[in-house]
Amino acid sequence: MPSFPLEELLRRPSTEPNCGKVPSSLAIDFSNDYWQTVHIENLTYHLFGAYYDNREKITEAPLVRVLSMINNYGDRDKVKYPDSYCQMWFKNRVDPVIANVSDHKIIWYFYGTAERHVFPTLISCPLPKTEKEVPEMVSLVAQRCDKARNLLRVIYEPDVKTVAMPQQKDQEMKDQDNSRKPLRFMVCVKTLDFPYKDMSWRLIEWLELMRLMGVSKVVFYDGQIHPNMTRVINDYVTSSPGFVELRPLSMGRGEPHTGRNFHHYAMAADAFNRILNEMIPYNDCFYRNMYKFDYVGVFDTDEVIMPLGNITKLSDLIELAHKVPDYERDATNCTTWASFCFRNVYFPLYPERPKFYRNLPSFYYMLQHVERVAEHCDRYSATKCFHSTQFVVGLHNHFPIFYAQNGECDPKSVPIEFAQLHHYREPDNKTRLLNPVVDDNIWRFQPQLQQRVYSKYEKLGFLPDIQQWIDAENRRRKDDEQQLHAAIFKT
């Protein structure tokens, strides 16, 4: 239960506060393992996490942002929210700092209402500008001094360098004057929902490609996954500390987080509800890591932002992205952007076509699939981005919905001459499958990627031994003979 502040509760002073009261662990309205629920007038809030935001470019900082899902959604400027308050509790302090909820940011594009759905929302709890400490816990209440029935840990995970001694920081600044500071990249992945389908082989290839391109961390959310995928992720967690993280998650509306059968059914039965829930891991991941990384990518394990030409590292790609034009927009007056986005192009399966790289086994999925559709999508369709942690406030799976608006321009679409989003799936419009073209840009990574994937397969025992290989060849030969016999004597 990562959002429940058990340790903070246990060390609270015993003195009663003058206003409000920290709820005991058994006085909290828990829901579905990882959520807490609060009712304020006609609204039901499903609370997932709380995060301290004191970034330099955020003009309203410092504040606590509460990530939630709520049951009321309408036109963005017309929804009337009831008054509510944040009780923010600090270490070694008896009384809370209480603030009016200043803002509800709905992390969704389309307007309107939907009776059965709850919508991802960021709630803003501003702190006094003079407040230098970070609150430990926060509760959402209807009246200032209400006794709350919810309590969230306030997440604040700064880069260790930002809390270094002043002398050390001064020296680091001098060192950086002589050399360009390397950009730090991470990727947030939506809930993995693969209880029956084994995607471990593709997961390994994707993770190793991320690492080769300069991604330092990948965060997954567990929506119940195949045992082989669990083995892969656990191996990365133990063998490459800090590179892979797996976090727990359930659905905000209250669907039971039970056995894999029901959870998988619940996600498949209401696709819109599943998509709305995807905003929770994206934003939770972003806020947990925004102080430690410069750019956060939000994409799936069948997607790769691929630099083109001589560039193979994401840091070089972002440096180039600052200089190139914005596709279909005039950006001559811009020097910095909220995000850099990349146009989608599909790499379908094309199962009827022969392999291009005959010397590679089929478990090298991306290295084998180098035929794509001829036409890229437009700048808005299925695009994915790297988001600047200086500016972005609320993340949709394709764009930032909210950002600081403090000197940065709208997200830039990088022209396809410099990079593109490889999407390894079938296009929705099947006419795109016609007249495929060969795009072997991924082969620039082939020697290292092949070696790393093979080593991981070897370590995990996914490769057959010699006897298993001989048995498989004999079975295949026998199957071929049976099919040939059946074809010859077919009447």
Side-chain angles (χ1 to χ4, degrees), residues 256-275:
H257 190 57
T258 56
R260 63 179 59 192
N261 295 348
F262 184 84
H263 186 84
H264 181 70
Y265 166 78
M267 294 188 74
D270 190 338
F272 185 46
N273 180 56
R274 173 181 57 78
I275 293 170

Side-chain angles (χ1 to χ4, degrees), residues 200-201 204 228 231-232 456-464:
S200 58
W201 54 303
I204 292 172
N228 279 348
R231 281 185 63 197
V232 168
K456 186 64 71 173
Y457 261 66
E458 215 170 23
K459 179 182 179 183
L460 292 170
F462 287 173
L463 294 173

Side-chain angles (χ1 to χ4, degrees), residues 96-382:
V97 170
I98 300 175
N100 291 70
V101 169
S102 62
D103 192 18
H104 290 71
K105 296 183 184 299
I106 302 171
I107 315 170
W108 193 249
Y109 271 114
F110 307 119
Y111 301 158
T113 58
E115 291 183 1
R116 297 183 298 109
H117 296 110
V118 288
F119 290 84
T121 306
L122 275 173
I123 302 165
S124 300
C125 306
L127 283 158
K129 295 289 185 181
T130 55
E131 181 59 68
K132 302 302 181 185
E133 292 186 41
V134 179
E136 287 192 314
M137 305 177 291
V138 62
S139 297
L140 184 66
V141 292
Q143 302 294 330
R144 293 180 62 87
C145 294
D146 278 357
K147 181 179 177 181
R149 296 190 61 85
N150 61 89
L151 188 67
L152 297 173
R153 170 182 286 121
V154 176
I155 304 298
Y156 177 53
E157 299 183 7
D159 183 1
V160 290
K161 293 181 180 179
T162 65
V163 293
M165 296 299 290
Q167 299 89 339
Q168 181 181 344
K169 291 171 68 176
D170 290 343
Q171 183 60 48
E172 289 177 356
M173 291 297 292
K174 292 177 183 178
D175 294 341
Q176 288 167 14
D177 289 341
N178 300 321
S179 62
R180 183 166 56 90
K181 181 182 177 182
L183 295 175
R184 302 161 299 174
F185 293 85
M186 70 160 299
V187 173
C188 301
V189 182
K190 68 183 181 185
T191 309
L192 294 178
D193 176 42
F194 298 102
Y196 314 114
K197 189 174 183 179
D198 182 7
M199 300 291 287
S200 58
W201 54 303
R202 291 184 61 175
L203 185 61
I204 292 172
E205 187 183 19
W206 183 83
L207 280 169
E208 292 301 336
L209 182 57
M210 291 297 103
R211 183 144 54 178
L212 284 171
M213 296 172 74
V215 171
S216 299
K217 184 177 183 180
V218 178
V219 178
F220 297 106
Y221 287 79
D222 187 358
Q224 301 175 340
I225 53 181
H226 191 279
N228 279 348
M229 297 180 71
T230 302
R231 281 185 63 197
V232 168
I233 291 175
N234 288 343
D235 179 77
Y236 276 102
V237 169
T238 56
S239 65
S240 303
F243 176 53
V244 168
E245 182 178 347
L246 181 65
R247 302 199 61 82
L249 188 70
S250 58
M251 299 182 78
R253 194 171 57 179
E255 294 86 343
H257 190 57
T258 56
R260 63 179 59 192
N261 295 348
F262 184 84
H263 186 84
H264 181 70
Y265 166 78
M267 294 188 74
D270 190 338
F272 185 46
N273 180 56
R274 173 181 57 78
I275 293 170
L276 290 171
N277 273 266
E278 288 176 5
M279 305 308 116
I280 298 301
Y282 295 150
N283 287 275
D284 176 69
C285 174
F286 179 87
Y287 276 97
R288 286 178 177 275
N289 294 280
M290 63 183 178
Y291 294 107
K292 294 177 283 190
F293 295 91
D294 300 295
Y295 286 92
V296 174
V298 171
F299 37 91
D300 302 337
T301 56
D302 63 354
E303 297 172 327
V304 176
I305 290 176
M306 180 63 68
L308 302 179
N310 295 324
I311 293 178
T312 58
K313 295 294 184 181
L314 294 173
S315 54
D316 295 329
L317 174 60
I318 295 301
E319 183 180 357
L320 177 65
H322 278 87
K323 303 173 183 177
V324 301
D326 190 346
Y327 176 64
E328 293 184 337
R329 280 185 183 171
D330 180 12
T332 53
N333 295 325
C334 296
T335 58
T336 186
W337 289 263
S339 307
F340 293 104
C341 301
F342 302 86
R343 288 170 61 194
N344 178 84
V345 64
Y346 292 105
F347 283 71
L349 185 61
Y350 290 122
E352 74 284 357
R353 301 176 73 86
K355 293 196 302 184
F356 260 80
Y357 215 136
R358 295 183 180 277
N359 293 331
L360 276 181
S362 295
F363 58 72
Y364 294 99
Y365 187 87
M366 291 185 291
L367 285 173
Q368 289 286 13
H369 288 83
V370 294
E371 284 187 296
R372 64 166 173 83
V373 302
E375 184 181 355
H376 291 71
C377 296
D378 62 42
R379 66 175 291 151
Y380 302 106
S381 300

